[in-house]
Amino acid sequence: MDAHRETTCAPAQNLRLDLILFLSFFKIASITVGGGYAILAAARAEFVERRHWLTEDDFSEMMTVIITVPGLLAINSAIYLGWKLHRARGAFAAAFGALLPSVTVIMLIAAGLSSISDFLRSPWVQGAFKGIICGIIGMIGLTVVKMGKNNLKSLFDWAMVLVCVLGIAAFHWNPAFLIAGAIGAGILKVALGSRKKEVQK
């Protein structure tokens, strides 16, 4: 569903969509710790599964774009989704919602660092963080599994995943080189496939 096409007629609907984008990313950024991938898992649950504003293909396309461009994944995803759903206003609302919790918390920590440091060292807080991290790992894992079901459909796809996993885990290759290699391999695969179809015709 492309919410942009459905909400360009009424100012009230436009304002409501901007507010939903802001509140959704504010909520996601407020309760999600663990970096950009954790936020992506939460964003997928919110916009693909709950609101049905995006399809699995839309989300996979977003992942491809935001991972290969510079910037923080959380902000990139907010801008991308906001723009896709409501262009510039949506991008601003979503990005502001994603940024506000982090800025607020960092300012509070900077203002009272000593007392907050003691609080963070509390066994109760450390235990809560441990539980949160375990939950986030589960969310990220589920997102990976669902994205894999929708995108890994050929031997080439699985081979690329295996090469990237081994490249990082076993050989400690630079992820940027792996992404560049994957892009080149994908282009070559499509080019060879197109040439094969032309020959068959």
Side-chain angles (χ1 to χ4, degrees), residues 15 24 42 61 92 102 108 111 121 127-129 139 190:
L15 183 60
S24 295
E61 177 185 287
F92 178 82
S102 299
L108 291 174
R121 284 195 293 266
F129 284 162
M139 290 174 60
V190 172

Side-chain angles (χ1 to χ4, degrees), residues 1-74:
M1 169 181 169
D2 191 339
H4 170 65
R5 287 196 295 268
E6 296 189 7
T7 57
T8 55
C9 56
Q13 289 180 316
N14 290 335
L15 183 60
R16 180 175 178 273
L17 178 57
D18 294 335
L19 183 60
I20 290 174
L21 285 169
F22 169 81
L23 292 176
S24 295
F25 274 98
F26 182 86
K27 177 186 69 175
I28 290 170
S30 297
I31 64 175
T32 306
V33 297
Y37 291 103
I39 287 182
L40 290 178
R44 181 190 172 280
E46 177 74 14
F47 296 108
V48 176
E49 296 185 346
R50 179 168 175 257
R51 296 190 181 276
H52 304 291
W53 284 359
L54 300 174
T55 64
E56 291 288 356
D57 290 339
D58 291 332
F59 192 80
S60 297
E61 177 185 287
M62 181 197 77
M63 289 283 290
T64 302
V65 172
I66 67 172
I67 289 174
T68 53
V69 300
L72 300 174
L73 291 181

Side-chain angles (χ1 to χ4, degrees), residues 133-149:
I133 290 172
C134 293
I136 288 170
I137 291 173
M139 290 174 60
I140 294 174
L142 180 61
T143 300
V144 169
V145 169
K146 290 188 176 181
M147 288 185 63
K149 287 182 179 179

Side-chain angles (χ1 to χ4, degrees), residues 86-109:
H86 199 200
R87 297 300 186 254
R89 286 179 52 176
F92 178 82
F96 187 58
L99 187 61
L100 186 58
S102 299
V103 171
T104 303
V105 171
I106 290 172
M107 290 176 65
L108 291 174
I109 291 175

